[in-house]
Protein backbone atom coordinates (compact mmCIF):
# COMPACT_ATOMS: atom_id res chain seq x y z
CA UNK A 1 0.00 0.00 0.00
CA UNK A 2 1.30 3.43 -0.99
CA UNK A 3 1.75 5.49 2.14
CA UNK A 4 3.68 7.99 4.19
CA UNK A 5 4.48 6.80 7.71
CA UNK A 6 5.55 8.85 10.70
CA UNK A 7 6.90 7.77 14.06
CA UNK A 8 6.13 8.29 16.79
CA UNK A 9 2.49 9.32 16.49
CA UNK A 10 2.48 10.89 19.94
CA UNK A 11 5.39 12.22 21.95
CA UNK A 12 5.66 14.08 25.24
CA UNK A 13 9.10 15.37 26.08
CA UNK A 14 10.87 17.99 28.15
CA UNK A 15 12.57 21.19 27.12
CA UNK A 16 16.04 20.66 25.71
CA UNK A 17 15.90 16.91 25.16
CA UNK A 18 16.83 16.18 21.55
CA UNK A 19 14.30 14.23 19.54
CA UNK A 20 13.79 12.91 16.04
CA UNK A 21 10.52 12.31 14.24
CA UNK A 22 10.91 9.87 11.38
CA UNK A 23 9.12 10.04 8.05
CA UNK A 24 9.22 7.39 5.37
CA UNK A 25 7.44 6.98 2.03
CA UNK A 26 7.25 3.94 -0.22
CA UNK A 27 6.24 5.67 -3.46
CA UNK A 28 9.71 6.61 -4.76
CA UNK A 29 8.74 10.28 -4.47
CA UNK A 30 11.38 12.93 -5.04
CA UNK A 31 9.73 15.72 -3.04
CA UNK A 32 9.19 15.57 0.71
CA UNK A 33 8.12 18.21 3.17
CA UNK A 34 7.46 18.86 6.85
CA UNK A 35 4.60 21.01 8.12
CA UNK A 36 3.38 22.02 11.52
CA UNK A 37 -0.30 22.60 12.19
CA UNK A 38 -1.44 24.95 14.93
CA UNK A 39 -5.02 26.00 15.73
CA UNK A 40 -6.02 29.08 13.77
CA UNK A 41 -2.77 29.11 11.78
CA UNK A 42 -3.34 26.26 9.34
CA UNK A 43 -0.32 24.41 7.99
CA UNK A 44 3.04 26.09 7.84
CA UNK A 45 5.98 24.57 6.06
CA UNK A 46 9.11 23.88 8.10
CA UNK A 47 11.52 22.35 5.60
CA UNK A 48 11.30 20.65 2.25
CA UNK A 49 13.47 18.50 0.06
CA UNK A 50 13.35 18.30 -3.72
CA UNK A 51 15.56 15.23 -3.85
CA UNK A 52 18.26 13.31 -2.02
CA UNK A 53 20.79 15.65 -0.38
CA UNK A 54 18.73 18.71 -1.40
CA UNK A 55 16.89 20.44 1.44
CA UNK A 56 15.66 23.98 1.94
CA UNK A 57 13.94 26.10 4.55
CA UNK A 58 10.22 26.66 4.52
CA UNK A 59 8.38 29.40 6.34
CA UNK A 60 9.14 28.40 9.94
CA UNK A 61 12.51 26.57 10.04
CA UNK A 62 13.90 27.97 13.31
CA UNK A 63 14.62 25.26 15.85
CA UNK A 64 14.42 22.40 13.37
CA UNK A 65 16.84 20.39 11.25
CA UNK A 66 16.28 17.84 8.52
CA UNK A 67 18.33 15.48 6.43
CA UNK A 68 17.68 13.56 3.21
CA UNK A 69 20.29 10.85 2.87
CA UNK A 70 17.94 8.41 1.20
CA UNK A 71 15.04 9.03 -1.10
CA UNK A 72 12.46 7.34 1.13
CA UNK A 73 13.34 8.97 4.48
CA UNK A 74 13.13 12.56 5.67
CA UNK A 75 13.57 12.81 9.45
CA UNK A 76 12.77 15.97 11.40
CA UNK A 77 15.20 16.75 14.19
CA UNK A 78 14.60 19.05 17.16
CA UNK A 79 18.01 19.57 18.74
CA UNK A 80 16.72 21.45 21.78
CA UNK A 81 12.92 21.42 21.85
CA UNK A 82 11.06 24.29 23.48
CA UNK A 83 7.40 24.59 24.54
CA UNK A 84 6.58 26.73 21.49
CA UNK A 85 7.33 23.69 19.34
CA UNK A 86 4.34 21.89 20.85
CA UNK A 87 2.30 21.19 17.73
CA UNK A 88 0.92 18.64 15.31
CA UNK A 89 3.50 17.73 12.68
CA UNK A 90 2.85 16.33 9.22
CA UNK A 91 5.22 14.85 6.71
CA UNK A 92 4.19 14.85 3.06
CA UNK A 93 5.62 13.56 -0.19
CA UNK A 94 4.97 14.08 -3.87
CA UNK A 95 6.32 12.77 -7.14
CA UNK A 96 8.07 16.08 -7.67
CA UNK A 97 8.19 19.71 -6.55
CA UNK A 98 5.75 20.48 -9.35
CA UNK A 99 2.41 20.91 -7.58
CA UNK A 100 0.61 19.30 -10.49
CA UNK A 101 1.32 16.16 -8.53
CA UNK A 102 -0.68 15.44 -5.40
CA UNK A 103 0.98 15.65 -2.01
CA UNK A 104 0.44 12.59 0.17
CA UNK A 105 0.35 13.24 3.88
CA UNK A 106 1.36 11.08 6.79
CA UNK A 107 -0.98 10.57 9.76
CA UNK A 108 0.69 13.21 11.91
CA UNK A 109 2.82 13.35 15.05
CA UNK A 110 1.45 15.17 18.06
CA UNK A 111 4.35 16.62 20.03
CA UNK A 112 4.10 18.15 23.48
CA UNK A 113 7.14 19.88 24.98
CA UNK A 114 6.90 20.67 28.69
CA UNK B 1 3.63 36.64 -3.30
CA UNK B 2 0.81 34.15 -3.44
CA UNK B 3 -1.59 33.74 -0.54
CA UNK B 4 -5.04 32.37 0.25
CA UNK B 5 -7.68 33.56 2.67
CA UNK B 6 -10.40 31.28 3.92
CA UNK B 7 -13.46 33.15 5.15
CA UNK B 8 -14.91 31.58 8.27
CA UNK B 9 -12.94 29.32 10.57
CA UNK B 10 -16.10 27.37 11.39
CA UNK B 11 -19.10 26.58 9.21
CA UNK B 12 -22.11 24.60 10.39
CA UNK B 13 -24.77 23.16 8.09
CA UNK B 14 -27.64 20.73 8.43
CA UNK B 15 -27.49 17.35 6.78
CA UNK B 16 -28.81 17.68 3.23
CA UNK B 17 -28.08 21.41 3.03
CA UNK B 18 -25.71 23.14 0.64
CA UNK B 19 -22.08 23.32 1.69
CA UNK B 20 -20.20 26.49 0.72
CA UNK B 21 -16.64 27.05 1.93
CA UNK B 22 -15.02 30.25 0.77
CA UNK B 23 -11.48 30.78 -0.45
CA UNK B 24 -10.00 33.91 -1.99
CA UNK B 25 -6.52 33.99 -3.41
CA UNK B 26 -3.91 36.59 -4.15
CA UNK B 27 -1.51 35.85 -6.97
CA UNK B 28 0.60 37.92 -9.33
CA UNK B 29 0.65 35.09 -11.87
CA UNK B 30 -1.98 32.56 -12.95
CA UNK B 31 -2.38 30.30 -9.95
CA UNK B 32 -2.82 26.63 -9.37
CA UNK B 33 -5.35 26.15 -6.56
CA UNK B 34 -6.17 23.21 -4.33
CA UNK B 35 -8.63 22.05 -1.73
CA UNK B 36 -7.51 19.50 0.84
CA UNK B 37 -9.64 17.81 3.51
CA UNK B 38 -8.53 16.62 6.93
CA UNK B 39 -10.73 14.14 8.75
CA UNK B 40 -10.33 13.88 12.53
CA UNK B 41 -7.00 12.41 13.58
CA UNK B 42 -5.81 11.98 10.00
CA UNK B 43 -3.49 13.66 7.54
CA UNK B 44 -4.66 15.82 4.66
CA UNK B 45 -6.13 14.39 1.49
CA UNK B 46 -6.52 16.11 -1.88
CA UNK B 47 -10.14 16.90 -2.75
CA UNK B 48 -9.61 18.69 -6.05
CA UNK B 49 -7.29 21.04 -7.89
CA UNK B 50 -7.45 23.78 -10.51
CA UNK B 51 -4.57 23.75 -12.99
CA UNK B 52 -5.70 26.33 -15.56
CA UNK B 53 -7.91 23.99 -17.57
CA UNK B 54 -11.67 23.95 -16.89
CA UNK B 55 -12.77 26.58 -14.40
CA UNK B 56 -15.30 24.25 -12.79
CA UNK B 57 -13.41 21.45 -11.11
CA UNK B 58 -15.02 18.31 -9.78
CA UNK B 59 -13.43 16.41 -6.95
CA UNK B 60 -14.04 13.42 -4.77
CA UNK B 61 -17.08 12.84 -2.56
CA UNK B 62 -19.33 15.11 -4.63
CA UNK B 63 -17.39 18.32 -4.02
CA UNK B 64 -16.66 20.86 -6.70
CA UNK B 65 -15.04 24.29 -6.91
CA UNK B 66 -15.20 27.08 -9.44
CA UNK B 67 -12.24 29.28 -10.33
CA UNK B 68 -13.39 32.88 -10.80
CA UNK B 69 -10.57 35.11 -11.89
CA UNK B 70 -12.64 38.31 -11.69
CA UNK B 71 -13.45 37.60 -8.05
CA UNK B 72 -10.09 35.94 -7.22
CA UNK B 73 -12.09 33.14 -5.66
CA UNK B 74 -12.06 29.36 -5.55
CA UNK B 75 -15.02 28.47 -3.36
CA UNK B 76 -15.77 24.83 -2.52
CA UNK B 77 -19.35 23.57 -2.77
CA UNK B 78 -21.38 20.44 -2.32
CA UNK B 79 -25.13 20.38 -3.03
CA UNK B 80 -26.10 18.16 -0.11
CA UNK B 81 -24.07 17.70 3.06
CA UNK B 82 -23.56 14.29 4.64
CA UNK B 83 -22.55 13.63 8.21
CA UNK B 84 -19.35 12.12 6.87
CA UNK B 85 -18.35 15.51 5.42
CA UNK B 86 -17.58 16.83 8.90
CA UNK B 87 -13.88 17.69 8.70
CA UNK B 88 -11.48 20.57 8.32
CA UNK B 89 -10.93 21.93 4.82
CA UNK B 90 -7.87 23.76 3.58
CA UNK B 91 -7.47 25.87 0.48
CA UNK B 92 -3.95 26.14 -0.94
CA UNK B 93 -2.07 27.90 -3.74
CA UNK B 94 1.28 27.16 -5.33
CA UNK B 95 3.90 29.52 -4.00
CA UNK B 96 5.43 30.36 -7.36
CA UNK B 97 2.28 30.52 -9.40
CA UNK B 98 1.27 27.88 -11.87
CA UNK B 99 2.60 24.55 -10.72
CA UNK B 100 5.81 25.95 -9.32
CA UNK B 101 6.81 26.03 -5.74
CA UNK B 102 5.61 24.78 -2.44
CA UNK B 103 1.99 24.95 -1.38
CA UNK B 104 0.79 27.86 0.72
CA UNK B 105 -2.15 26.78 2.87
CA UNK B 106 -5.00 28.82 4.25
CA UNK B 107 -5.87 28.66 7.93
CA UNK B 108 -8.61 26.12 7.40
CA UNK B 109 -12.38 25.96 7.82
CA UNK B 110 -13.90 23.41 10.13
CA UNK B 111 -17.18 22.06 8.79
CA UNK B 112 -19.78 20.70 11.19
CA UNK B 113 -22.83 18.82 9.91
CA UNK B 114 -25.92 18.69 12.10
CA UNK B 115 -28.40 15.81 11.85
Amino acid sequence: EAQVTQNPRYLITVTGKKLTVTCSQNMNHEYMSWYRQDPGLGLRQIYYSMNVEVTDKGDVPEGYKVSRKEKRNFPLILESPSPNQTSLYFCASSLSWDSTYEQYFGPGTRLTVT
Amino acid sequence: AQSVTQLGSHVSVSEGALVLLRCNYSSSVPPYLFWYVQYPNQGLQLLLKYTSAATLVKGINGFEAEFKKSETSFHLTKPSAHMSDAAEYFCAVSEGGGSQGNLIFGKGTKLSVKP
Side-chain angles (χ1 to χ4, degrees), chain A residues 9-10 31 35 37 40-43 45 48 59 88 90 97-108 110, chain B residues 32 34 36 38 41-46 49 88 90 94-95 98-108:
Chain A
R9 293 289 312 279
Y10 302 91
Y31 178 87
Y35 298 90
Q37 182 180 14
L41 296 179
L43 273 80
Q45 190 177 49
Y48 65 97
D59 296 321
L88 179 58
F90 288 101
W97 181 67
D98 184 331
S99 63
T100 303
Y101 301 101
E102 178 178 352
Q103 285 199 33
Y104 292 84
F105 283 78
R110 188 167 292 280
Chain B
Y32 278 22
F34 309 81
Y36 277 81
Q38 182 182 29
N41 300 312
Q42 294 186 28
L44 278 72
Q45 176 184 0
L46 182 66
K49 62 183 178 184
E88 191 158 17
F90 293 91
S94 290
E95 186 178 43
S99 65
Q100 300 306 303
N102 302 301
L103 292 184
I104 306 295
F105 286 88
K107 294 182 179 180

Side-chain angles (χ1 to χ4, degrees), chain A residues 33-68:
Chain A
S33 180
W34 276 103
Y35 298 90
R36 60 177 290 174
Q37 182 180 14
D38 301 290
L41 296 179
L43 273 80
R44 294 178 293 168
Q45 190 177 49
I46 303 170
Y47 269 94
Y48 65 97
S49 169
M50 288 198 277
N51 214 327
V52 175
E53 302 292 3
V54 180
T55 64
D56 210 344
K57 296 177 181 179
D59 296 321
V60 289
E62 293 77 21
Y64 304 95
K65 283 176 54 177
V66 293
S67 69
R68 187 93 181 272

